[in-house]
Amino acid sequence: MRVIATAGHVDHGKSTLVRALTGTDPDRLGEEKQRGLTIDLGFAGMVLPSGAQVAFVDVPGHVRFLKNMMAGVSGVDVCLFVVAATEGWKPQSEEHLRILELFGVRRGVIALTKVGAADADSVELAQLEIAERVAGTFLEPAPVVAVDGVSGDGVDGLIAALSDLFGGDLIDGVGVEGSGSQLNRPRLWVDRSFPIKGSGTVVTGTLTGGTISEGDTLEVLPAGVTVRVRGLQSLNETQSSVGPGSRVALNLSGISHGDVARGCVVVRAQQWHLSEMVDAELSALESLDHDVTRKGAYLAYIGSGEHPVKLRVLGSKSISPGGVGLVRMYLPQMLPLVRGDRFILRESGRAETVGGGEVLDVAPVLPANRARPDRSSERIIAEHGRIKADFLERLTGAVDVGGVRVGEWIVSDGYLETVSGELSAAVAEAGAAGLDLAELDEFQRTVVAELDDVLVDAGRARLAGAKDELSEHPFLIAAAASPFAPPAPEGVDGTELRLLVQRKLLVESDGIYFAASGVEQAAQLVAQLLEDKPEGFTVAEARDVWNTSRKYALALLGHMDRVGMTRRNGDYRTAGPRL
């Protein structure tokens, strides 16, 4: 399915044209019908001659409802741009065109409406003016179709132009650009929420990024409420699942319609990074009569929502009209954003559109005075140094983004070289005793295990070939020789004794020091005992198997209980998960 947004000046016939195309009146509010003015978003659908389905999002043209207009065109990549032959290009025609460009819309058809009420000269002048106004924009190659929504003249030609616009990009009725991301992460920005008696809460929006199915468990943000999909429709037809690029209505259980509104977003839990601060590229409109600075009451339009933001210009103090610069935006609430998301920036004090652009980083790590974001994943990897692969996918929305894979992490070549050098030096400095892995973090332990000429054993890393004096310690040899009744550590240096325990060569339990190899032998004998006595064994039975005294048997069993080799149930012990 392809979603098409209308755009154009107020009273230029957008809703009338949608009704002529689809047979559905997109104006659903009583006030809209009474005033003959579109106030909020309207929706309708049709099937093109090719058999492909398209959905229209009809937006208001009046400047007072610009907020609603931007909620409708966000996330849409095709437009039906409407200009009335009776009036020609008007202020909202210009602003809507700039908003569409900033939101990343790249294709469209231009409808020259109300031709039945205009003479031939007016139609010709309007066509010339349109060509002049769209020159250099994405609409420059767009066909201009003369149409009259009231009489129906030209409607067939407009349908043909829409069909030609999509061409081979529609496969089985699903837009290629809306076919989903590599990560299958559905995201639906809510543009409408309402109750249905007997069914509960229904939300609508344009689905991107993945598929939603009946029965799915999802999350509504920013509230963080878990919901279940009771049912779903697309173009008023019940579906078991709906793919990306579609207009969708979701019947949700677990939330009241009053707790979800336009600007909320429905996603799968744990699939998105929730951002309160983003770095972005901002293109300032040429029509501005001032530079863009951090001073101002800014509103960012992201998804279907309007969000007051604080702005910081990166790398300079301002962005001149028509210029492109980098900014950091501080959001009032956490949103599921990803690199590549588009936004519009308005300044409420001047009631003007400042510009718009693309999100470059949804989790900046550098301070604003050093941040220079771009679109590359390599830059994100380098700034983080090391980053979990699944986290990087959430930030970028892509897999296989470059870098070097080390376990669960993606790192830059330089960072890996630095960490490897530091760890190699630390292992060499530790000498025969080896480097205690408990002193390292998870990433460092992964790296040190892959270093050449380094052996990892018993919780320590040492250079291959280095003589391990502790492994030949006399007390350790004595304890191993009498595994179930070791001698007391009389005369053993306390530091050496602690190091033998830290190295896990010795196991201390109730003041008795067993060789680790002796504990292993004891566990093997217990496993054999449990084969004959799966219901459990007593201390006396373990003592007999080990041929030792009750004192040593209790100490050994106490250790095995603590580490999960055995489980005590009254006078009996059974197998634990680590046996």
mmCIF file of all heavy atoms in Angstrom, residues 278-284 292-294 310-320 323-330 343 345 356-361 366-376 379 383:
data_model
loop_
_atom_site.group_PDB
_atom_site.id
_atom_site.type_symbol
_atom_site.label_atom_id
_atom_site.label_comp_id
_atom_site.label_asym_id
_atom_site.label_seq_id
_atom_site.Cartn_x
_atom_site.Cartn_y
_atom_site.Cartn_z
ATOM 1 N N VAL A 278 18.864 14.726 20.891
ATOM 2 C CA VAL A 278 19.287 14.256 19.576
ATOM 3 C C VAL A 278 20.135 15.321 18.901
ATOM 4 O O VAL A 278 19.946 16.524 19.114
ATOM 5 C CB VAL A 278 18.083 13.906 18.666
ATOM 6 C CG1 VAL A 278 17.263 12.785 19.264
ATOM 7 C CG2 VAL A 278 17.212 15.126 18.397
ATOM 8 N N ASP A 279 21.080 14.869 18.092
ATOM 9 C CA ASP A 279 21.834 15.746 17.206
ATOM 10 C C ASP A 279 21.275 15.591 15.801
ATOM 11 O O ASP A 279 20.917 14.485 15.393
ATOM 12 C CB ASP A 279 23.319 15.394 17.215
ATOM 13 C CG ASP A 279 24.005 15.804 18.505
ATOM 14 O OD1 ASP A 279 23.381 16.553 19.289
ATOM 15 O OD2 ASP A 279 25.153 15.386 18.729
ATOM 16 N N ALA A 280 21.186 16.706 15.084
ATOM 17 C CA ALA A 280 20.510 16.681 13.787
ATOM 18 C C ALA A 280 21.119 17.700 12.840
ATOM 19 O O ALA A 280 21.848 18.613 13.245
ATOM 20 C CB ALA A 280 19.020 16.966 13.973
ATOM 21 N N GLU A 281 20.789 17.522 11.566
ATOM 22 C CA GLU A 281 21.120 18.514 10.546
ATOM 23 C C GLU A 281 19.880 19.363 10.300
ATOM 24 O O GLU A 281 18.797 18.835 10.069
ATOM 25 C CB GLU A 281 21.541 17.817 9.256
ATOM 26 C CG GLU A 281 21.944 18.770 8.142
ATOM 27 C CD GLU A 281 22.316 18.035 6.872
ATOM 28 O OE1 GLU A 281 21.396 17.626 6.132
ATOM 29 O OE2 GLU A 281 23.521 17.854 6.645
ATOM 30 N N LEU A 282 20.041 20.663 10.371
ATOM 31 C CA LEU A 282 18.919 21.589 10.178
ATOM 32 C C LEU A 282 19.148 22.433 8.934
ATOM 33 O O LEU A 282 20.185 23.082 8.794
ATOM 34 C CB LEU A 282 18.768 22.501 11.399
ATOM 35 C CG LEU A 282 17.724 23.609 11.283
ATOM 36 C CD1 LEU A 282 16.316 23.021 11.201
ATOM 37 C CD2 LEU A 282 17.821 24.588 12.449
ATOM 38 N N SER A 283 18.174 22.412 8.030
ATOM 39 C CA SER A 283 18.186 23.288 6.856
ATOM 40 C C SER A 283 17.251 24.453 7.139
ATOM 41 O O SER A 283 16.044 24.262 7.315
ATOM 42 C CB SER A 283 17.718 22.527 5.608
ATOM 43 O OG SER A 283 18.591 21.459 5.309
ATOM 44 N N ALA A 284 17.814 25.662 7.196
ATOM 45 C CA ALA A 284 17.007 26.850 7.473
ATOM 46 C C ALA A 284 16.379 27.354 6.179
ATOM 47 O O ALA A 284 17.014 27.345 5.110
ATOM 48 C CB ALA A 284 17.864 27.940 8.098
ATOM 49 N N VAL A 292 19.203 31.607 12.566
ATOM 50 C CA VAL A 292 18.693 30.678 13.569
ATOM 51 C C VAL A 292 19.745 30.545 14.669
ATOM 52 O O VAL A 292 20.899 30.183 14.399
ATOM 53 C CB VAL A 292 18.404 29.290 12.964
ATOM 54 C CG1 VAL A 292 17.896 28.332 14.038
ATOM 55 C CG2 VAL A 292 17.409 29.405 11.824
ATOM 56 N N THR A 293 19.372 30.856 15.903
ATOM 57 C CA THR A 293 20.268 30.753 17.043
ATOM 58 C C THR A 293 19.583 29.922 18.131
ATOM 59 O O THR A 293 18.462 29.458 17.958
ATOM 60 C CB THR A 293 20.622 32.137 17.611
ATOM 61 O OG1 THR A 293 19.443 32.710 18.198
ATOM 62 C CG2 THR A 293 21.129 33.061 16.499
ATOM 63 N N ARG A 294 20.235 29.797 19.256
ATOM 64 C CA ARG A 294 19.659 29.042 20.363
ATOM 65 C C ARG A 294 18.514 29.801 21.028
ATOM 66 O O ARG A 294 17.744 29.224 21.789
ATOM 67 C CB ARG A 294 20.737 28.715 21.395
ATOM 68 C CG ARG A 294 21.328 29.926 22.101
ATOM 69 C CD ARG A 294 22.535 29.549 22.941
ATOM 70 N NE ARG A 294 22.246 28.520 23.917
ATOM 71 C CZ ARG A 294 23.166 27.919 24.661
ATOM 72 N NH1 ARG A 294 24.457 28.252 24.515
ATOM 73 N NH2 ARG A 294 22.821 27.008 25.547
ATOM 74 N N LYS A 310 14.499 22.691 23.417
ATOM 75 C CA LYS A 310 15.592 23.641 23.543
ATOM 76 C C LYS A 310 16.590 23.338 22.440
ATOM 77 O O LYS A 310 16.848 22.173 22.125
ATOM 78 C CB LYS A 310 16.245 23.522 24.916
ATOM 79 C CG LYS A 310 15.335 23.937 26.068
ATOM 80 C CD LYS A 310 16.065 23.811 27.402
ATOM 81 C CE LYS A 310 15.158 24.229 28.555
ATOM 82 N NZ LYS A 310 15.843 24.085 29.869
ATOM 83 N N LEU A 311 17.164 24.399 21.875
ATOM 84 C CA LEU A 311 18.020 24.244 20.696
ATOM 85 C C LEU A 311 19.430 24.739 21.005
ATOM 86 O O LEU A 311 19.609 25.764 21.658
ATOM 87 C CB LEU A 311 17.438 25.032 19.518
ATOM 88 C CG LEU A 311 18.039 24.769 18.142
ATOM 89 C CD1 LEU A 311 17.590 23.418 17.627
ATOM 90 C CD2 LEU A 311 17.630 25.866 17.162
ATOM 91 N N ARG A 312 20.408 23.999 20.526
ATOM 92 C CA ARG A 312 21.810 24.410 20.617
ATOM 93 C C ARG A 312 22.430 24.233 19.242
ATOM 94 O O ARG A 312 22.394 23.137 18.664
ATOM 95 C CB ARG A 312 22.538 23.551 21.656
ATOM 96 C CG ARG A 312 24.049 23.757 21.719
ATOM 97 C CD ARG A 312 24.446 24.998 22.484
ATOM 98 N NE ARG A 312 25.888 25.151 22.528
ATOM 99 C CZ ARG A 312 26.672 24.677 23.505
ATOM 100 N NH1 ARG A 312 26.128 23.998 24.516
ATOM 101 N NH2 ARG A 312 27.971 24.887 23.480
ATOM 102 N N VAL A 313 22.967 25.303 18.673
ATOM 103 C CA VAL A 313 23.644 25.210 17.380
ATOM 104 C C VAL A 313 25.055 24.678 17.620
ATOM 105 O O VAL A 313 25.778 25.160 18.493
ATOM 106 C CB VAL A 313 23.688 26.578 16.669
ATOM 107 C CG1 VAL A 313 24.406 26.453 15.326
ATOM 108 C CG2 VAL A 313 22.273 27.115 16.458
ATOM 109 N N LEU A 314 25.445 23.666 16.850
ATOM 110 C CA LEU A 314 26.742 23.017 17.029
ATOM 111 C C LEU A 314 27.758 23.564 16.038
ATOM 112 O O LEU A 314 27.460 23.712 14.851
ATOM 113 C CB LEU A 314 26.613 21.505 16.835
ATOM 114 C CG LEU A 314 25.580 20.786 17.709
ATOM 115 C CD1 LEU A 314 25.533 19.302 17.351
ATOM 116 C CD2 LEU A 314 25.893 20.972 19.183
ATOM 117 N N GLY A 315 28.951 23.876 16.519
ATOM 118 C CA GLY A 315 30.032 24.294 15.633
ATOM 119 C C GLY A 315 30.041 25.758 15.292
ATOM 120 O O GLY A 315 31.010 26.260 14.732
ATOM 121 N N SER A 316 28.976 26.459 15.565
ATOM 122 C CA SER A 316 28.902 27.898 15.320
ATOM 123 C C SER A 316 27.802 28.450 16.218
ATOM 124 O O SER A 316 27.157 27.721 16.956
ATOM 125 C CB SER A 316 28.607 28.199 13.852
ATOM 126 O OG SER A 316 27.336 27.689 13.489
ATOM 127 N N LYS A 317 27.590 29.742 16.131
ATOM 128 C CA LYS A 317 26.562 30.357 16.970
ATOM 129 C C LYS A 317 25.221 30.470 16.277
ATOM 130 O O LYS A 317 24.197 30.688 16.924
ATOM 131 C CB LYS A 317 27.025 31.747 17.412
ATOM 132 C CG LYS A 317 28.220 31.717 18.351
ATOM 133 C CD LYS A 317 28.571 33.118 18.825
ATOM 134 C CE LYS A 317 29.737 33.072 19.808
ATOM 135 N NZ LYS A 317 30.104 34.434 20.293
ATOM 136 N N SER A 318 25.216 30.343 14.936
ATOM 137 C CA SER A 318 23.950 30.532 14.223
ATOM 138 C C SER A 318 23.989 29.848 12.871
ATOM 139 O O SER A 318 25.047 29.440 12.388
ATOM 140 C CB SER A 318 23.677 32.034 14.038
ATOM 141 O OG SER A 318 24.676 32.624 13.223
ATOM 142 N N ILE A 319 22.802 29.730 12.280
ATOM 143 C CA ILE A 319 22.643 29.220 10.915
ATOM 144 C C ILE A 319 21.919 30.296 10.130
ATOM 145 O O ILE A 319 20.834 30.743 10.520
ATOM 146 C CB ILE A 319 21.836 27.912 10.898
ATOM 147 C CG1 ILE A 319 22.509 26.853 11.777
ATOM 148 C CG2 ILE A 319 21.693 27.396 9.467
ATOM 149 C CD1 ILE A 319 21.687 25.587 11.941
ATOM 150 N N SER A 320 22.485 30.717 9.015
ATOM 151 C CA SER A 320 21.908 31.803 8.236
ATOM 152 C C SER A 320 20.749 31.304 7.378
ATOM 153 O O SER A 320 20.644 30.108 7.096
ATOM 154 C CB SER A 320 22.979 32.438 7.346
ATOM 155 O OG SER A 320 23.535 31.460 6.479
ATOM 156 N N GLY A 323 20.803 28.371 4.884
ATOM 157 C CA GLY A 323 21.989 27.601 5.232
ATOM 158 C C GLY A 323 21.639 26.269 5.880
ATOM 159 O O GLY A 323 20.503 26.003 6.254
ATOM 160 N N VAL A 324 22.656 25.435 5.989
ATOM 161 C CA VAL A 324 22.517 24.122 6.617
ATOM 162 C C VAL A 324 23.525 24.034 7.754
ATOM 163 O O VAL A 324 24.696 24.366 7.584
ATOM 164 C CB VAL A 324 22.765 22.984 5.603
ATOM 165 C CG1 VAL A 324 22.654 21.627 6.287
ATOM 166 C CG2 VAL A 324 21.784 23.076 4.445
ATOM 167 N N GLY A 325 23.070 23.616 8.914
ATOM 168 C CA GLY A 325 23.959 23.510 10.063
ATOM 169 C C GLY A 325 23.576 22.351 10.961
ATOM 170 O O GLY A 325 22.592 21.647 10.720
ATOM 171 N N LEU A 326 24.358 22.172 11.990
ATOM 172 C CA LEU A 326 24.136 21.101 12.950
ATOM 173 C C LEU A 326 23.555 21.667 14.238
ATOM 174 O O LEU A 326 23.964 22.731 14.688
ATOM 175 C CB LEU A 326 25.451 20.370 13.254
ATOM 176 C CG LEU A 326 26.158 19.737 12.056
ATOM 177 C CD1 LEU A 326 27.523 19.205 12.473
ATOM 178 C CD2 LEU A 326 25.309 18.614 11.459
ATOM 179 N N VAL A 327 22.610 20.937 14.817
ATOM 180 C CA VAL A 327 21.971 21.394 16.045
ATOM 181 C C VAL A 327 21.821 20.221 17.003
ATOM 182 O O VAL A 327 21.830 19.057 16.596
ATOM 183 C CB VAL A 327 20.577 22.015 15.784
ATOM 184 C CG1 VAL A 327 20.693 23.260 14.922
ATOM 185 C CG2 VAL A 327 19.629 21.006 15.145
ATOM 186 N N ARG A 328 21.689 20.553 18.270
ATOM 187 C CA ARG A 328 21.305 19.577 19.294
ATOM 188 C C ARG A 328 19.962 20.010 19.850
ATOM 189 O O ARG A 328 19.784 21.172 20.236
ATOM 190 C CB ARG A 328 22.351 19.491 20.394
ATOM 191 C CG ARG A 328 21.981 18.556 21.546
ATOM 192 C CD ARG A 328 23.193 18.219 22.400
ATOM 193 N NE ARG A 328 24.125 17.364 21.663
ATOM 194 C CZ ARG A 328 25.289 16.933 22.164
ATOM 195 N NH1 ARG A 328 25.649 17.273 23.400
ATOM 196 N NH2 ARG A 328 26.080 16.156 21.442
ATOM 197 N N MET A 329 19.009 19.089 19.882
ATOM 198 C CA MET A 329 17.681 19.384 20.398
ATOM 199 C C MET A 329 17.442 18.584 21.680
ATOM 200 O O MET A 329 17.722 17.385 21.739
ATOM 201 C CB MET A 329 16.603 19.044 19.363
ATOM 202 C CG MET A 329 16.628 19.919 18.126
ATOM 203 S SD MET A 329 15.196 19.659 17.039
ATOM 204 C CE MET A 329 15.470 17.979 16.497
ATOM 205 N N TYR A 330 16.925 19.280 22.680
ATOM 206 C CA TYR A 330 16.592 18.668 23.961
ATOM 207 C C TYR A 330 15.077 18.532 24.028
ATOM 208 O O TYR A 330 14.343 19.530 24.044
ATOM 209 C CB TYR A 330 17.110 19.516 25.109
ATOM 210 C CG TYR A 330 18.611 19.728 25.070
ATOM 211 C CD1 TYR A 330 19.161 20.796 24.343
ATOM 212 C CD2 TYR A 330 19.474 18.863 25.733
ATOM 213 C CE1 TYR A 330 20.533 20.992 24.300
ATOM 214 C CE2 TYR A 330 20.851 19.054 25.690
ATOM 215 C CZ TYR A 330 21.375 20.118 24.980
ATOM 216 O OH TYR A 330 22.737 20.304 24.933
ATOM 217 N N PHE A 343 12.219 15.924 10.748
ATOM 218 C CA PHE A 343 11.514 16.819 11.662
ATOM 219 C C PHE A 343 11.357 18.197 11.028
ATOM 220 O O PHE A 343 12.077 18.558 10.086
ATOM 221 C CB PHE A 343 12.277 16.947 12.992
ATOM 222 C CG PHE A 343 13.593 17.690 12.860
ATOM 223 C CD1 PHE A 343 13.679 19.054 13.125
ATOM 224 C CD2 PHE A 343 14.745 17.022 12.459
ATOM 225 C CE1 PHE A 343 14.879 19.737 12.999
ATOM 226 C CE2 PHE A 343 15.950 17.698 12.313
ATOM 227 C CZ PHE A 343 16.018 19.052 12.589
ATOM 228 N N LEU A 345 11.023 22.323 12.297
ATOM 229 C CA LEU A 345 11.244 23.229 13.432
ATOM 230 C C LEU A 345 10.510 24.539 13.182
ATOM 231 O O LEU A 345 10.682 25.164 12.135
ATOM 232 C CB LEU A 345 12.738 23.487 13.609
ATOM 233 C CG LEU A 345 13.164 24.168 14.913
ATOM 234 C CD1 LEU A 345 12.944 23.228 16.095
ATOM 235 C CD2 LEU A 345 14.628 24.594 14.850
ATOM 236 N N GLY A 356 13.896 22.563 8.852
ATOM 237 C CA GLY A 356 13.700 21.155 9.189
ATOM 238 C C GLY A 356 14.902 20.364 8.756
ATOM 239 O O GLY A 356 15.873 20.915 8.219
ATOM 240 N N GLY A 357 14.853 19.093 8.983
ATOM 241 C CA GLY A 357 15.994 18.295 8.593
ATOM 242 C C GLY A 357 15.910 16.867 9.045
ATOM 243 O O GLY A 357 14.828 16.295 9.170
ATOM 244 N N GLU A 358 17.065 16.313 9.351
ATOM 245 C CA GLU A 358 17.202 14.874 9.585
ATOM 246 C C GLU A 358 17.960 14.627 10.880
ATOM 247 O O GLU A 358 18.985 15.264 11.160
ATOM 248 C CB GLU A 358 17.962 14.250 8.412
ATOM 249 C CG GLU A 358 18.209 12.771 8.530
ATOM 250 C CD GLU A 358 19.006 12.236 7.354
ATOM 251 O OE1 GLU A 358 19.187 12.979 6.363
ATOM 252 O OE2 GLU A 358 19.460 11.078 7.423
ATOM 253 N N VAL A 359 17.461 13.691 11.670
ATOM 254 C CA VAL A 359 18.145 13.274 12.889
ATOM 255 C C VAL A 359 19.380 12.456 12.510
ATOM 256 O O VAL A 359 19.302 11.529 11.712
ATOM 257 C CB VAL A 359 17.204 12.447 13.783
ATOM 258 C CG1 VAL A 359 17.967 11.852 14.962
ATOM 259 C CG2 VAL A 359 16.049 13.305 14.280
ATOM 260 N N LEU A 360 20.519 12.815 13.106
ATOM 261 C CA LEU A 360 21.776 12.129 12.811
ATOM 262 C C LEU A 360 22.238 11.215 13.945
ATOM 263 O O LEU A 360 22.925 10.229 13.705
ATOM 264 C CB LEU A 360 22.876 13.150 12.512
ATOM 265 C CG LEU A 360 22.625 14.105 11.350
ATOM 266 C CD1 LEU A 360 23.773 15.085 11.219
ATOM 267 C CD2 LEU A 360 22.419 13.346 10.049
ATOM 268 N N ASP A 361 21.891 11.560 15.173
ATOM 269 C CA ASP A 361 22.356 10.782 16.316
ATOM 270 C C ASP A 361 21.310 10.867 17.419
ATOM 271 O O ASP A 361 20.965 11.953 17.874
ATOM 272 C CB ASP A 361 23.696 11.325 16.818
ATOM 273 C CG ASP A 361 24.416 10.350 17.752
ATOM 274 O OD1 ASP A 361 23.742 9.480 18.341
ATOM 275 O OD2 ASP A 361 25.645 10.457 17.889
ATOM 276 N N LEU A 366 29.253 12.962 22.922
ATOM 277 C CA LEU A 366 30.180 14.077 23.043
ATOM 278 C C LEU A 366 29.452 15.322 23.537
ATOM 279 O O LEU A 366 28.279 15.530 23.220
ATOM 280 C CB LEU A 366 30.842 14.385 21.696
ATOM 281 C CG LEU A 366 31.732 13.290 21.093
ATOM 282 C CD1 LEU A 366 32.344 13.778 19.783
ATOM 283 C CD2 LEU A 366 32.832 12.880 22.066
ATOM 284 N N PRO A 367 30.128 16.171 24.304
ATOM 285 C CA PRO A 367 29.504 17.447 24.702
ATOM 286 C C PRO A 367 29.233 18.306 23.479
ATOM 287 O O PRO A 367 29.866 18.138 22.426
ATOM 288 C CB PRO A 367 30.543 18.074 25.631
ATOM 289 C CG PRO A 367 31.838 17.417 25.276
ATOM 290 C CD PRO A 367 31.488 16.018 24.858
ATOM 291 N N ALA A 368 28.294 19.229 23.621
ATOM 292 C CA ALA A 368 27.853 20.021 22.470
ATOM 293 C C ALA A 368 28.988 20.796 21.827
ATOM 294 O O ALA A 368 28.999 20.984 20.600
ATOM 295 C CB ALA A 368 26.732 20.968 22.906
ATOM 296 N N ASN A 369 29.965 21.248 22.598
ATOM 297 C CA ASN A 369 31.052 22.038 22.009
ATOM 298 C C ASN A 369 32.015 21.193 21.182
ATOM 299 O O ASN A 369 32.856 21.733 20.459
ATOM 300 C CB ASN A 369 31.808 22.801 23.097
ATOM 301 C CG ASN A 369 32.457 21.877 24.117
ATOM 302 O OD1 ASN A 369 32.200 20.672 24.134
ATOM 303 N ND2 ASN A 369 33.286 22.426 24.978
ATOM 304 N N ARG A 370 31.892 19.867 21.274
ATOM 305 C CA ARG A 370 32.764 18.985 20.489
ATOM 306 C C ARG A 370 32.000 18.164 19.460
ATOM 307 O O ARG A 370 32.611 17.587 18.550
ATOM 308 C CB ARG A 370 33.520 18.036 21.413
ATOM 309 C CG ARG A 370 34.551 18.695 22.310
ATOM 310 C CD ARG A 370 35.143 17.684 23.279
ATOM 311 N NE ARG A 370 35.589 16.479 22.578
ATOM 312 C CZ ARG A 370 35.712 15.291 23.155
ATOM 313 N NH1 ARG A 370 35.390 15.129 24.430
ATOM 314 N NH2 ARG A 370 36.121 14.246 22.462
ATOM 315 N N ALA A 371 30.705 18.093 19.582
ATOM 316 C CA ALA A 371 29.905 17.212 18.717
ATOM 317 C C ALA A 371 29.867 17.728 17.287
ATOM 318 O O ALA A 371 29.574 18.901 17.049
ATOM 319 C CB ALA A 371 28.496 17.092 19.265
ATOM 320 N N ARG A 372 30.158 16.839 16.340
ATOM 321 C CA ARG A 372 30.045 17.142 14.909
ATOM 322 C C ARG A 372 29.400 15.929 14.235
ATOM 323 O O ARG A 372 30.056 15.162 13.530
ATOM 324 C CB ARG A 372 31.418 17.433 14.296
ATOM 325 C CG ARG A 372 32.133 18.619 14.883
ATOM 326 C CD ARG A 372 31.400 19.933 14.627
ATOM 327 N NE ARG A 372 32.134 21.066 15.177
ATOM 328 C CZ ARG A 372 31.990 21.535 16.413
ATOM 329 N NH1 ARG A 372 31.121 20.949 17.236
ATOM 330 N NH2 ARG A 372 32.686 22.551 16.836
ATOM 331 N N PRO A 373 28.110 15.734 14.436
ATOM 332 C CA PRO A 373 27.454 14.518 13.935
ATOM 333 C C PRO A 373 27.392 14.460 12.414
ATOM 334 O O PRO A 373 27.385 15.490 11.740
ATOM 335 C CB PRO A 373 26.052 14.615 14.537
ATOM 336 C CG PRO A 373 25.823 16.077 14.722
ATOM 337 C CD PRO A 373 27.159 16.641 15.100
ATOM 338 N N ASP A 374 27.375 13.242 11.893
ATOM 339 C CA ASP A 374 27.130 13.019 10.473
ATOM 340 C C ASP A 374 26.320 11.725 10.354
ATOM 341 O O ASP A 374 25.862 11.180 11.347
ATOM 342 C CB ASP A 374 28.442 12.949 9.668
ATOM 343 C CG ASP A 374 29.387 11.870 10.186
ATOM 344 O OD1 ASP A 374 28.902 10.852 10.740
ATOM 345 O OD2 ASP A 374 30.609 12.021 10.050
ATOM 346 N N ARG A 375 26.143 11.244 9.136
ATOM 347 C CA ARG A 375 25.272 10.089 8.906
ATOM 348 C C ARG A 375 25.982 8.751 9.037
ATOM 349 O O ARG A 375 25.366 7.705 8.879
ATOM 350 C CB ARG A 375 24.632 10.193 7.511
ATOM 351 C CG ARG A 375 23.652 11.334 7.375
ATOM 352 C CD ARG A 375 23.186 11.523 5.938
ATOM 353 N NE ARG A 375 22.203 12.587 5.824
ATOM 354 C CZ ARG A 375 22.507 13.875 5.773
ATOM 355 N NH1 ARG A 375 23.787 14.249 5.822
ATOM 356 N NH2 ARG A 375 21.556 14.784 5.671
ATOM 357 N N SER A 376 27.277 8.736 9.328
ATOM 358 C CA SER A 376 28.035 7.496 9.280
ATOM 359 C C SER A 376 27.928 6.710 10.580
ATOM 360 O O SER A 376 27.928 7.279 11.680
ATOM 361 C CB SER A 376 29.512 7.783 8.984
ATOM 362 O OG SER A 376 30.141 8.353 10.120
ATOM 363 N N ARG A 379 31.319 6.917 12.635
ATOM 364 C CA ARG A 379 31.464 8.020 13.586
ATOM 365 C C ARG A 379 30.853 7.651 14.935
ATOM 366 O O ARG A 379 31.435 7.919 15.996
ATOM 367 C CB ARG A 379 30.796 9.268 12.992
ATOM 368 C CG ARG A 379 31.035 10.575 13.764
ATOM 369 C CD ARG A 379 29.939 10.906 14.739
ATOM 370 N NE ARG A 379 28.624 10.771 14.144
ATOM 371 C CZ ARG A 379 27.527 10.686 14.852
ATOM 372 N NH1 ARG A 379 27.567 10.722 16.173
ATOM 373 N NH2 ARG A 379 26.347 10.533 14.264
ATOM 374 N N GLU A 383 32.993 7.343 18.431
ATOM 375 C CA GLU A 383 32.684 8.179 19.589
ATOM 376 C C GLU A 383 32.367 7.347 20.823
ATOM 377 O O GLU A 383 32.687 7.737 21.944
ATOM 378 C CB GLU A 383 31.538 9.121 19.261
ATOM 379 C CG GLU A 383 31.920 10.209 18.278
ATOM 380 C CD GLU A 383 30.767 11.148 17.939
ATOM 381 O OE1 GLU A 383 29.647 10.940 18.457
ATOM 382 O OE2 GLU A 383 30.995 12.085 17.144
#
